[in-house]
Amino acid sequence: MISADFLFALFGAGALTAAVVPRLVAGRPVSMPLVFLLCGLAFQLLPVPLPQIDPVRDRLWVEHLTEVCVIVSLMGAGLALNRPFGHGRWRTSGRLLGVTMPLTIAATAVLAWWLLGWPVAAALLLAAVLAPTDPVLASEVRVGAPTESEHDEDEVRFALTSEAGLNDGLAFPVVMAAIALAGAGSSLPGGRIGHWLLVDVGYRCVIGVLAGLAVGKLLGWLFFRASQSAMRLSEHREGFVALGATFFAYGLTELAHGYGFLAVFVTACRIRAAERAHGYHTVLHDFVEQIERLLTAALLFLLGTFIAQGALAPLTWQGAVVCLLLLLAVRPLTGWLAQLGTAAGPRERAVTAFFGIRGIGSLFYLAYALGTEGFRVPAEDLWALVTFTVLVSVALHGVTATPVISRLDHLRQLQARRKSHVRHGPDEDDVAKERL
């Protein structure tokens, strides 16, 4: 039995480590999530009586912990984006969502059905669970803190951040289709397909977007334009207000049976647009980023411990092949094809396509789905395959993100310097506009 004093010491050490590690690994081919995952693996080797981590038994805890981490990260992503919404400006994001995501889901489902012999519902569930991307797990590939400029975000970081902000919510209709298919048997009746299209795809997505716009507009007024200074929260510069905005948008949307993930990201983008150059965005973003870092560190540590306790024992070689094909073939190929005709250059398209990082969102969707229907596949098998995919993604993308993104940044600097006619060289906006 672990004592409360030991847990206090462990949590304190973890929080201090989460503050130090990002600075220690900055510029090195390793990420903070990878460090904490390895710490979780190593911690199991210590002569300390640790409780057995069982996401099947403790499904509800896993669902809600990962849920909180996802919505906090969505708020941070939306607040960080400087680029105003527009078809031309967000074209790459739209292609990744409208082309890459459906093709990835279809290909992954076929691979699971063919190689694993899983029922259609389980194969579709796996594909939907692994659909969302998660740049939180490699900070080098997401945009930085908010700035006053609308043009200082390079295409790779912007595309990956905006894609992750929206596909966490857009994966939900496919998860709901898998759940409905599991409940109906081998095929869905026509009425159930109509209900899925009207409710799970149409109504819940629309409510998510509209609720996000409405809440974001209300909070934008409250933060920046309220007539009374006591109500105008930007003047008080309190960062925890970002958590209030996150939970308010999410809870209100879920009460209306919409997709809260969509609402949180849209709310953040709408708050950002309310007063784009205000310094309060940095306060909100920095607070959210700190909470996100703590949650991510804790979850990756627990995931590492779970792996060390034998989480991957049910994994078959066929499951490993599905995972590797997804990360090394399906996502890169579909990501590349989707970006043809966009503003991104060939190198940028390749990097954006490669960094389809899988992470916390996949863990949430699996925990959520397993609480609804049986999929005629042991839950342990599903957890093993999804856990292995996240493990490979954290390791592969965590190691390659820094050198790859640094190389792109260096090439942009060189290209912009050659074109610059100013003595002191190009500014950040000029560098970000370069296409490689």
Side-chain angles (χ1 to χ4, degrees):
M1 183 68 180
I2 298 180
S3 68
D5 295 336
F6 177 79
L7 289 177
F8 279 126
L10 181 62
F11 292 155
L16 292 171
T17 305
V20 173
V21 167
R23 294 163 180 82
L24 291 177
V25 303
R28 293 180 172 84
V30 64
S31 64
M32 186 201 77
L34 179 57
V35 170
F36 274 92
L37 192 145
L38 293 174
C39 286
L41 285 165
F43 201 77
Q44 183 65 24
L45 303 176
L46 298 178
V48 178
L50 294 175
Q52 191 72 20
I53 297 176
D54 185 353
V56 178
R57 179 194 63 205
D58 302 320
R59 185 201 62 78
L60 203 58
W61 278 101
V62 174
E63 178 185 338
H64 291 311
L65 283 173
T66 52
E67 182 179 31
V68 171
C69 186
V70 171
I71 61 175
V72 169
S73 69
L74 290 174
M75 176 60 68
L79 290 173
L81 291 172
N82 300 321
R83 192 180 301 187
F85 182 78
H87 175 69
R89 299 186 186 99
W90 286 56
R91 178 177 297 173
T92 304
S93 312
R95 294 283 191 86
L96 291 172
L97 294 167
V99 178
T100 299
M101 189 175 177
L103 290 178
T104 299
I105 290 173
T108 306
V110 170
L111 286 172
W113 171 78
W114 177 48
L115 287 175
L116 300 174
W118 284 2
V120 175
L124 184 61
L125 174 66
L126 179 70
V129 162
L130 295 177
T133 55
D134 193 352
V136 172
L137 298 187
S139 59
E140 293 81 2
V141 301
R142 62 177 178 173
V143 299
T147 67
E148 295 185 7
S149 174
E150 299 177 0
H151 310 289
D152 67 347
E153 295 164 339
D154 64 83
E155 195 66 20
V156 172
R157 288 184 174 93
F158 174 80
L160 289 171
T161 304
S162 55
E163 177 199 11
L166 288 167
N167 69 10
D168 269 320
L170 294 177
F172 239 123
V174 188
V175 173
M176 300 305 293
I179 292 171
L181 195 59
S186 59
S187 62
L188 284 175
R192 188 65 187 89
I193 294 176
H195 180 273
W196 175 75
L197 288 172
L198 288 174
V199 177
D200 295 328
V201 178
Y203 173 81
R204 299 188 73 179
C205 286
V206 170
I207 291 297
V209 173
L210 292 180
L213 290 172
V215 173
K217 184 174 183 179
L218 172 64
L219 294 179
W221 170 83
L222 184 64
F223 289 174
F224 305 109
R225 296 190 176 88
S227 56
Q228 298 182 15
S229 62
M231 296 285 290
R232 202 160 50 247
L233 297 179
S234 60
E235 295 187 3
H236 308 287
R237 305 185 72 81
E238 294 169 322
F240 72 87
V241 170
L243 286 184
T246 302
F247 295 136
F248 180 64
Y250 185 74
L252 196 66
T253 307
E254 290 292 322
L255 286 173
H257 303 291
Y259 291 131
F261 286 177
L262 277 177
V264 170
F265 182 73
V266 173
T267 294
C269 292
R270 188 68 184 85
I271 292 172
R272 186 79 175 89
E275 192 70 38
R276 198 167 292 279
H278 202 288
Y280 188 48
H281 292 299
T282 302
V283 176
L284 296 173
H285 174 268
D286 289 350
F287 185 87
V288 167
E289 187 178 42
Q290 292 169 14
I291 300 300
E292 174 192 299
R293 193 190 308 169
L294 286 173
L295 290 171
T296 302
L299 287 171
L300 267 295
F301 179 86
L302 292 173
L303 185 66
T305 304
F306 177 49
I307 293 170
Q309 291 176 348
L312 302 183
L315 182 69
T316 63
W317 70 266
Q318 293 96 332
V321 169
V322 171
C323 157
L324 295 175
L325 285 175
L326 166 65
L327 296 177
L328 300 177
V330 174
R331 162 66 191 204
L333 180 59
T334 58
W336 171 271
L337 292 174
Q339 294 176 83
L340 294 176
T342 66
R347 290 189 185 93
E348 292 172 315
R349 288 199 295 269
V351 173
T352 301
F354 175 72
F355 283 103
I357 303 167
R358 269 58 188 175
I360 306 301
S362 296
L363 304 179
F364 163 77
Y365 277 121
L366 183 57
Y368 173 86
L370 291 178
T372 55
E373 292 285 352
F375 289 88
R376 291 194 291 157
V377 169
E380 292 79 7
D381 290 4
L382 280 161
W383 274 110
L385 203 158
V386 172
T387 299
F388 180 69
T389 305
V390 175
L391 169 64
V392 173
S393 181
V394 170
L396 175 65
H397 297 125
V399 168
T400 57
T402 296
V404 170
I405 297 299
S406 296
R407 177 62 177 168
L408 280 186
D409 290 342
H410 178 66
L411 291 174
R412 283 195 197 93
Q413 286 278 358
L414 291 177
Q415 190 164 293
R417 193 174 292 121
R418 284 196 296 266
K419 295 179 180 179
S420 176
H421 302 292
V422 183
R423 177 178 296 179
H424 55 75
D427 58 21
E428 291 183 357
D429 290 6
D430 293 329
V431 174
K433 291 175 185 175
E434 292 299 324
R435 295 291 173 254
L436 301 173

